Structures are given as C-alpha cells and as structure tokens.
Amino acid sequence: MKRNAMVLAALSLTLLAGCSTQKADQLDPESVATPTTRVPRHVDNSDRPRVAFDPCLDIPDSALIQAGYDPQSEANADFTPDSYTFLGCGYDTLQRRYVMNVLSGNITFAEEQEKKKNHSTPIDINGRRAILIFDPSVSDACDLTIETSYGILGFTRSVFEGNGQHAPESEWCAGLEDTARIIEPFIPKGD
C-alpha cells in the first residue's frame, strides 16, 4: 500500500512538473520540491524498517564542509547483509587528519547500546538520544550513534597524525559531537 502511494506521489509530481511553463534551468533550486520518501539503495530481507536516511544522498555538501570534511572524498561504505542494512559513506578532512564513515542502519538503538555498553556514554544530540563510544584499546578511533525513527545513524572516525605515531587520546573524540550536531537536522524526524 505504501509503495503504491509513493508511486502515485512520484507520478503526480512528474505530471505537475510537465505542466509548468518554467524551464528546468530557470528553476530556483530552493523552490523545487523533492520527494521525501524514496526506495533505499539497498533493502534487506528482514522485517526491520527501511533505512530512511542515506548519507551518500542526504548529507548536503555544505554540511560536510561546515563539519570540516571534503565532499569530493566521498567513498561508499555500505554494509548490506540479509538481516539488516547499513547505508554509508566515508569522508576525509581536507588535510587528511580525520577519516569518518557515516552509517545509517536499521538495527535498533537498544541493540547498539547493548553491543557497546562497556564503552559508551549516553549523550544528547539536538534532542535525540545518542551514545558516544570510546574504547581506549582501539587507538585513534571514536564512534557516536544517534537514535532515529528507523534505527540508528552512526559516525565512526579515525584520527591520523601523519607521522606514524598515535594521536593523543584526548583528540580521538574531539569535535565528533559537533559533527553529529551539524548532520542531525537532515535525519528524517519519523512518523
């Protein structure tokens, strides 16, 4: 039923666009409505919700730049087994100090909390429940997971000093919460 509604909505938008007297190159990008629901690039064989946020498609370049990452460095980081889905993209900072994967998945926040319970701290990102994941035995790395209506949005980040040495432990998570706060507003709010 939902799929039929999505097809009908897409068809309606197409028909409405065909009736416009304004040419596509004259449209203001801010005024063009885009469908808020689309079929994800990958759908698993489980009864879990579909992943509603695709980092590769839904994080604007301007947000990546604001967070200090190079949109041109985007690399696919999808993980799609049959029982759940993670749509992901990786990004580097311009000076290649940080490498970050943003993974949007349909496992539950409770599952992620349980899996990371020995190395996580509850936090809040723009009013959403989240956890900061720090494991001192994993050098130069820090993770952060935000609860979403369909599951989670996770950030995994590595720090590179560039000299073969480990970064100071105090730098492993520095600024990751700020990055999450920049990207969080683009996550669908849910039903």
PDB file of all heavy atoms in Angstrom, residues 135-165:
ATOM      1  N   ASP A 135      36.573   3.419  23.166  1.00  0.00           N
ATOM      2  CA  ASP A 135      37.253   2.228  23.672  1.00  0.00           C
ATOM      3  C   ASP A 135      38.748   2.512  23.655  1.00  0.00           C
ATOM      4  O   ASP A 135      39.362   2.577  22.588  1.00  0.00           O
ATOM      5  CB  ASP A 135      36.926   1.027  22.785  1.00  0.00           C
ATOM      6  CG  ASP A 135      37.547  -0.268  23.268  1.00  0.00           C
ATOM      7  OD1 ASP A 135      38.409  -0.231  24.187  1.00  0.00           O
ATOM      8  OD2 ASP A 135      37.189  -1.327  22.729  1.00  0.00           O
ATOM      9  N   PRO A 136      39.360   2.731  24.823  1.00  0.00           N
ATOM     10  CA  PRO A 136      40.775   3.085  24.866  1.00  0.00           C
ATOM     11  C   PRO A 136      41.700   2.018  24.255  1.00  0.00           C
ATOM     12  O   PRO A 136      42.835   2.315  23.914  1.00  0.00           O
ATOM     13  CB  PRO A 136      41.081   3.281  26.352  1.00  0.00           C
ATOM     14  CG  PRO A 136      39.846   3.007  27.094  1.00  0.00           C
ATOM     15  CD  PRO A 136      38.748   2.679  26.136  1.00  0.00           C
ATOM     16  N   SER A 137      41.189   0.806  24.080  1.00  0.00           N
ATOM     17  CA  SER A 137      42.027  -0.235  23.476  1.00  0.00           C
ATOM     18  C   SER A 137      42.056  -0.153  21.947  1.00  0.00           C
ATOM     19  O   SER A 137      42.823  -0.851  21.297  1.00  0.00           O
ATOM     20  CB  SER A 137      41.552  -1.628  23.911  1.00  0.00           C
ATOM     21  OG  SER A 137      40.291  -1.924  23.339  1.00  0.00           O
ATOM     22  N   VAL A 138      41.224   0.723  21.368  1.00  0.00           N
ATOM     23  CA  VAL A 138      41.202   0.927  19.914  1.00  0.00           C
ATOM     24  C   VAL A 138      41.798   2.307  19.646  1.00  0.00           C
ATOM     25  O   VAL A 138      41.112   3.318  19.733  1.00  0.00           O
ATOM     26  CB  VAL A 138      39.766   0.822  19.345  1.00  0.00           C
ATOM     27  CG1 VAL A 138      39.779   1.006  17.832  1.00  0.00           C
ATOM     28  CG2 VAL A 138      39.130  -0.508  19.718  1.00  0.00           C
ATOM     29  N   SER A 139      43.073   2.332  19.317  1.00  0.00           N
ATOM     30  CA  SER A 139      43.801   3.589  19.155  1.00  0.00           C
ATOM     31  C   SER A 139      43.254   4.454  18.025  1.00  0.00           C
ATOM     32  O   SER A 139      42.853   3.948  16.979  1.00  0.00           O
ATOM     33  CB  SER A 139      45.279   3.305  18.864  1.00  0.00           C
ATOM     34  OG  SER A 139      45.859   2.624  19.935  1.00  0.00           O
ATOM     35  N   ASP A 140      43.265   5.760  18.267  1.00  0.00           N
ATOM     36  CA  ASP A 140      42.956   6.762  17.259  1.00  0.00           C
ATOM     37  C   ASP A 140      41.545   6.662  16.699  1.00  0.00           C
ATOM     38  O   ASP A 140      41.302   7.050  15.554  1.00  0.00           O
ATOM     39  CB  ASP A 140      43.965   6.699  16.103  1.00  0.00           C
ATOM     40  CG  ASP A 140      45.396   6.919  16.560  1.00  0.00           C
ATOM     41  OD1 ASP A 140      45.604   7.779  17.437  1.00  0.00           O
ATOM     42  OD2 ASP A 140      46.298   6.241  16.057  1.00  0.00           O
ATOM     43  N   ALA A 141      40.587   6.161  17.478  1.00  0.00           N
ATOM     44  CA  ALA A 141      39.225   5.965  16.966  1.00  0.00           C
ATOM     45  C   ALA A 141      38.187   6.385  17.991  1.00  0.00           C
ATOM     46  O   ALA A 141      38.405   6.303  19.197  1.00  0.00           O
ATOM     47  CB  ALA A 141      39.007   4.511  16.584  1.00  0.00           C
ATOM     48  N   CYS A 142      37.041   6.831  17.469  1.00  0.00           N
ATOM     49  CA  CYS A 142      35.908   7.202  18.300  1.00  0.00           C
ATOM     50  C   CYS A 142      34.643   7.025  17.469  1.00  0.00           C
ATOM     51  O   CYS A 142      34.665   7.226  16.250  1.00  0.00           O
ATOM     52  CB  CYS A 142      36.038   8.653  18.754  1.00  0.00           C
ATOM     53  SG  CYS A 142      34.808   9.151  19.985  1.00  0.00           S
ATOM     54  N   ASP A 143      33.551   6.623  18.103  1.00  0.00           N
ATOM     55  CA  ASP A 143      32.272   6.420  17.422  1.00  0.00           C
ATOM     56  C   ASP A 143      31.182   7.188  18.167  1.00  0.00           C
ATOM     57  O   ASP A 143      31.299   7.458  19.361  1.00  0.00           O
ATOM     58  CB  ASP A 143      31.872   4.940  17.403  1.00  0.00           C
ATOM     59  CG  ASP A 143      32.838   4.054  16.637  1.00  0.00           C
ATOM     60  OD1 ASP A 143      33.707   4.588  15.919  1.00  0.00           O
ATOM     61  OD2 ASP A 143      32.722   2.827  16.755  1.00  0.00           O
ATOM     62  N   LEU A 144      30.118   7.471  17.450  1.00  0.00           N
ATOM     63  CA  LEU A 144      28.958   8.125  18.024  1.00  0.00           C
ATOM     64  C   LEU A 144      27.743   7.587  17.298  1.00  0.00           C
ATOM     65  O   LEU A 144      27.767   7.443  16.077  1.00  0.00           O
ATOM     66  CB  LEU A 144      29.071   9.640  17.831  1.00  0.00           C
ATOM     67  CG  LEU A 144      28.053  10.523  18.532  1.00  0.00           C
ATOM     68  CD1 LEU A 144      28.681  11.874  18.858  1.00  0.00           C
ATOM     69  CD2 LEU A 144      26.798  10.714  17.731  1.00  0.00           C
ATOM     70  N   THR A 145      26.692   7.257  18.046  1.00  0.00           N
ATOM     71  CA  THR A 145      25.469   6.722  17.455  1.00  0.00           C
ATOM     72  C   THR A 145      24.275   7.538  17.917  1.00  0.00           C
ATOM     73  O   THR A 145      24.120   7.812  19.108  1.00  0.00           O
ATOM     74  CB  THR A 145      25.269   5.244  17.853  1.00  0.00           C
ATOM     75  OG1 THR A 145      26.385   4.483  17.389  1.00  0.00           O
ATOM     76  CG2 THR A 145      24.000   4.676  17.253  1.00  0.00           C
ATOM     77  N   ILE A 146      23.411   7.912  16.945  1.00  0.00           N
ATOM     78  CA  ILE A 146      22.194   8.678  17.217  1.00  0.00           C
ATOM     79  C   ILE A 146      20.982   7.795  16.945  1.00  0.00           C
ATOM     80  O   ILE A 146      20.939   7.086  15.936  1.00  0.00           O
ATOM     81  CB  ILE A 146      22.112   9.920  16.305  1.00  0.00           C
ATOM     82  CG1 ILE A 146      23.305  10.839  16.521  1.00  0.00           C
ATOM     83  CG2 ILE A 146      20.795  10.669  16.518  1.00  0.00           C
ATOM     84  CD1 ILE A 146      23.375  11.994  15.519  1.00  0.00           C
ATOM     85  N   GLU A 147      19.984   7.855  17.813  1.00  0.00           N
ATOM     86  CA  GLU A 147      18.733   7.127  17.598  1.00  0.00           C
ATOM     87  C   GLU A 147      17.918   7.824  16.505  1.00  0.00           C
ATOM     88  O   GLU A 147      17.822   9.048  16.469  1.00  0.00           O
ATOM     89  CB  GLU A 147      17.924   7.079  18.885  1.00  0.00           C
ATOM     90  CG  GLU A 147      16.645   6.280  18.763  1.00  0.00           C
ATOM     91  CD  GLU A 147      15.897   6.169  20.081  1.00  0.00           C
ATOM     92  OE1 GLU A 147      15.950   7.136  20.894  1.00  0.00           O
ATOM     93  OE2 GLU A 147      15.264   5.137  20.299  1.00  0.00           O
ATOM     94  N   THR A 148      17.329   7.020  15.603  1.00  0.00           N
ATOM     95  CA  THR A 148      16.464   7.546  14.545  1.00  0.00           C
ATOM     96  C   THR A 148      15.135   6.796  14.579  1.00  0.00           C
ATOM     97  O   THR A 148      14.997   5.799  15.294  1.00  0.00           O
ATOM     98  CB  THR A 148      17.102   7.361  13.150  1.00  0.00           C
ATOM     99  OG1 THR A 148      17.131   5.972  12.835  1.00  0.00           O
ATOM    100  CG2 THR A 148      18.504   7.948  13.089  1.00  0.00           C
ATOM    101  N   SER A 149      14.182   7.228  13.771  1.00  0.00           N
ATOM    102  CA  SER A 149      12.878   6.567  13.720  1.00  0.00           C
ATOM    103  C   SER A 149      12.968   5.180  13.089  1.00  0.00           C
ATOM    104  O   SER A 149      12.131   4.326  13.356  1.00  0.00           O
ATOM    105  CB  SER A 149      11.883   7.420  12.939  1.00  0.00           C
ATOM    106  OG  SER A 149      12.333   7.600  11.606  1.00  0.00           O
ATOM    107  N   TYR A 150      13.959   4.932  12.265  1.00  0.00           N
ATOM    108  CA  TYR A 150      14.121   3.642  11.575  1.00  0.00           C
ATOM    109  C   TYR A 150      15.228   2.793  12.180  1.00  0.00           C
ATOM    110  O   TYR A 150      15.391   1.636  11.812  1.00  0.00           O
ATOM    111  CB  TYR A 150      14.415   3.875  10.077  1.00  0.00           C
ATOM    112  CG  TYR A 150      15.651   4.724   9.872  1.00  0.00           C
ATOM    113  CD1 TYR A 150      16.919   4.149   9.868  1.00  0.00           C
ATOM    114  CD2 TYR A 150      15.552   6.093   9.735  1.00  0.00           C
ATOM    115  CE1 TYR A 150      18.047   4.941   9.724  1.00  0.00           C
ATOM    116  CE2 TYR A 150      16.670   6.879   9.584  1.00  0.00           C
ATOM    117  CZ  TYR A 150      17.920   6.289   9.584  1.00  0.00           C
ATOM    118  OH  TYR A 150      19.045   7.076   9.446  1.00  0.00           O
ATOM    119  N   GLY A 151      16.022   3.347  13.101  1.00  0.00           N
ATOM    120  CA  GLY A 151      17.145   2.609  13.684  1.00  0.00           C
ATOM    121  C   GLY A 151      18.184   3.551  14.250  1.00  0.00           C
ATOM    122  O   GLY A 151      17.959   4.207  15.257  1.00  0.00           O
ATOM    123  N   ILE A 152      19.347   3.637  13.558  1.00  0.00           N
ATOM    124  CA  ILE A 152      20.443   4.472  14.059  1.00  0.00           C
ATOM    125  C   ILE A 152      21.174   5.175  12.917  1.00  0.00           C
ATOM    126  O   ILE A 152      21.136   4.740  11.772  1.00  0.00           O
ATOM    127  CB  ILE A 152      21.476   3.647  14.863  1.00  0.00           C
ATOM    128  CG1 ILE A 152      22.169   2.605  13.969  1.00  0.00           C
ATOM    129  CG2 ILE A 152      20.841   2.993  16.079  1.00  0.00           C
ATOM    130  CD1 ILE A 152      23.387   1.952  14.609  1.00  0.00           C
ATOM    131  N   LEU A 153      21.858   6.254  13.283  1.00  0.00           N
ATOM    132  CA  LEU A 153      22.844   6.876  12.416  1.00  0.00           C
ATOM    133  C   LEU A 153      24.138   6.891  13.207  1.00  0.00           C
ATOM    134  O   LEU A 153      24.189   7.437  14.310  1.00  0.00           O
ATOM    135  CB  LEU A 153      22.446   8.306  12.019  1.00  0.00           C
ATOM    136  CG  LEU A 153      23.434   8.974  11.060  1.00  0.00           C
ATOM    137  CD1 LEU A 153      23.392   8.303   9.683  1.00  0.00           C
ATOM    138  CD2 LEU A 153      23.147  10.459  10.926  1.00  0.00           C
ATOM    139  N   GLY A 154      25.162   6.248  12.660  1.00  0.00           N
ATOM    140  CA  GLY A 154      26.428   6.130  13.365  1.00  0.00           C
ATOM    141  C   GLY A 154      27.551   6.860  12.658  1.00  0.00           C
ATOM    142  O   GLY A 154      27.588   6.950  11.434  1.00  0.00           O
ATOM    143  N   PHE A 155      28.451   7.388  13.456  1.00  0.00           N
ATOM    144  CA  PHE A 155      29.654   8.048  12.964  1.00  0.00           C
ATOM    145  C   PHE A 155      30.842   7.272  13.513  1.00  0.00           C
ATOM    146  O   PHE A 155      30.949   7.078  14.722  1.00  0.00           O
ATOM    147  CB  PHE A 155      29.734   9.489  13.485  1.00  0.00           C
ATOM    148  CG  PHE A 155      28.569  10.345  13.084  1.00  0.00           C
ATOM    149  CD1 PHE A 155      27.369  10.304  13.783  1.00  0.00           C
ATOM    150  CD2 PHE A 155      28.668  11.202  12.003  1.00  0.00           C
ATOM    151  CE1 PHE A 155      26.292  11.087  13.422  1.00  0.00           C
ATOM    152  CE2 PHE A 155      27.599  11.996  11.623  1.00  0.00           C
ATOM    153  CZ  PHE A 155      26.406  11.939  12.331  1.00  0.00           C
ATOM    154  N   THR A 156      31.707   6.799  12.643  1.00  0.00           N
ATOM    155  CA  THR A 156      32.945   6.148  13.083  1.00  0.00           C
ATOM    156  C   THR A 156      34.085   6.994  12.528  1.00  0.00           C
ATOM    157  O   THR A 156      34.127   7.282  11.337  1.00  0.00           O
ATOM    158  CB  THR A 156      33.059   4.698  12.575  1.00  0.00           C
ATOM    159  OG1 THR A 156      33.080   4.696  11.160  1.00  0.00           O
ATOM    160  CG2 THR A 156      31.900   3.853  13.064  1.00  0.00           C
ATOM    161  N   ARG A 157      34.971   7.406  13.402  1.00  0.00           N
ATOM    162  CA  ARG A 157      36.029   8.319  12.967  1.00  0.00           C
ATOM    163  C   ARG A 157      37.391   7.840  13.448  1.00  0.00           C
ATOM    164  O   ARG A 157      37.539   7.375  14.576  1.00  0.00           O
ATOM    165  CB  ARG A 157      35.774   9.719  13.499  1.00  0.00           C
ATOM    166  CG  ARG A 157      36.716  10.737  12.867  1.00  0.00           C
ATOM    167  CD  ARG A 157      36.543  12.099  13.442  1.00  0.00           C
ATOM    168  NE  ARG A 157      37.103  12.111  14.797  1.00  0.00           N
ATOM    169  CZ  ARG A 157      37.003  13.124  15.630  1.00  0.00           C
ATOM    170  NH1 ARG A 157      36.347  14.204  15.270  1.00  0.00           N
ATOM    171  NH2 ARG A 157      37.515  13.072  16.834  1.00  0.00           N
ATOM    172  N   SER A 158      38.373   7.976  12.583  1.00  0.00           N
ATOM    173  CA  SER A 158      39.764   7.670  12.912  1.00  0.00           C
ATOM    174  C   SER A 158      40.590   8.934  12.755  1.00  0.00           C
ATOM    175  O   SER A 158      40.332   9.759  11.876  1.00  0.00           O
ATOM    176  CB  SER A 158      40.322   6.589  11.976  1.00  0.00           C
ATOM    177  OG  SER A 158      39.590   5.401  12.116  1.00  0.00           O
ATOM    178  N   VAL A 159      41.600   9.068  13.620  1.00  0.00           N
ATOM    179  CA  VAL A 159      42.497  10.218  13.607  1.00  0.00           C
ATOM    180  C   VAL A 159      43.851   9.749  13.109  1.00  0.00           C
ATOM    181  O   VAL A 159      44.348   8.703  13.532  1.00  0.00           O
ATOM    182  CB  VAL A 159      42.670  10.809  15.031  1.00  0.00           C
ATOM    183  CG1 VAL A 159      43.552  12.042  15.007  1.00  0.00           C
ATOM    184  CG2 VAL A 159      41.333  11.105  15.670  1.00  0.00           C
ATOM    185  N   PHE A 160      44.459  10.517  12.210  1.00  0.00           N
ATOM    186  CA  PHE A 160      45.787  10.197  11.710  1.00  0.00           C
ATOM    187  C   PHE A 160      46.715  11.374  11.956  1.00  0.00           C
ATOM    188  O   PHE A 160      46.461  12.474  11.494  1.00  0.00           O
ATOM    189  CB  PHE A 160      45.742   9.882  10.205  1.00  0.00           C
ATOM    190  CG  PHE A 160      44.962   8.649   9.893  1.00  0.00           C
ATOM    191  CD1 PHE A 160      43.633   8.731   9.484  1.00  0.00           C
ATOM    192  CD2 PHE A 160      45.542   7.401  10.028  1.00  0.00           C
ATOM    193  CE1 PHE A 160      42.909   7.592   9.208  1.00  0.00           C
ATOM    194  CE2 PHE A 160      44.819   6.251   9.755  1.00  0.00           C
ATOM    195  CZ  PHE A 160      43.506   6.351   9.345  1.00  0.00           C
ATOM    196  N   GLU A 161      47.791  11.110  12.685  1.00  0.00           N
ATOM    197  CA  GLU A 161      48.773  12.152  12.931  1.00  0.00           C
ATOM    198  C   GLU A 161      49.628  12.393  11.693  1.00  0.00           C
ATOM    199  O   GLU A 161      50.179  13.459  11.509  1.00  0.00           O
ATOM    200  CB  GLU A 161      49.676  11.771  14.118  1.00  0.00           C
ATOM    201  CG  GLU A 161      49.022  11.983  15.462  1.00  0.00           C
ATOM    202  CD  GLU A 161      48.757  13.446  15.755  1.00  0.00           C
ATOM    203  OE1 GLU A 161      49.696  14.248  15.898  1.00  0.00           O
ATOM    204  OE2 GLU A 161      47.574  13.812  15.828  1.00  0.00           O
ATOM    205  N   GLY A 162      49.772  11.369  10.847  1.00  0.00           N
ATOM    206  CA  GLY A 162      50.564  11.522   9.637  1.00  0.00           C
ATOM    207  C   GLY A 162      52.045  11.292   9.828  1.00  0.00           C
ATOM    208  O   GLY A 162      52.829  11.395   8.896  1.00  0.00           O
ATOM    209  N   ASN A 163      52.454  10.967  11.034  1.00  0.00           N
ATOM    210  CA  ASN A 163      53.870  10.736  11.293  1.00  0.00           C
ATOM    211  C   ASN A 163      54.139   9.322  11.809  1.00  0.00           C
ATOM    212  O   ASN A 163      55.217   9.033  12.313  1.00  0.00           O
ATOM    213  CB  ASN A 163      54.402  11.770  12.298  1.00  0.00           C
ATOM    214  CG  ASN A 163      53.650  11.720  13.619  1.00  0.00           C
ATOM    215  OD1 ASN A 163      52.860  10.812  13.870  1.00  0.00           O
ATOM    216  ND2 ASN A 163      53.886  12.704  14.470  1.00  0.00           N
ATOM    217  N   GLY A 164      53.147   8.449  11.679  1.00  0.00           N
ATOM    218  CA  GLY A 164      53.290   7.076  12.156  1.00  0.00           C
ATOM    219  C   GLY A 164      53.053   6.907  13.642  1.00  0.00           C
ATOM    220  O   GLY A 164      53.108   5.799  14.158  1.00  0.00           O
ATOM    221  N   GLN A 165      52.783   7.998  14.334  1.00  0.00           N
ATOM    222  CA  GLN A 165      52.541   7.959  15.775  1.00  0.00           C
ATOM    223  C   GLN A 165      51.036   8.038  16.045  1.00  0.00           C
ATOM    224  O   GLN A 165      50.277   8.560  15.233  1.00  0.00           O
ATOM    225  CB  GLN A 165      53.244   9.133  16.468  1.00  0.00           C
ATOM    226  CG  GLN A 165      54.735   9.177  16.253  1.00  0.00           C
ATOM    227  CD  GLN A 165      55.430   7.979  16.867  1.00  0.00           C
ATOM    228  OE1 GLN A 165      55.164   7.613  18.010  1.00  0.00           O
ATOM    229  NE2 GLN A 165      56.316   7.350  16.110  1.00  0.00           N
TER     230      GLN A 165
END
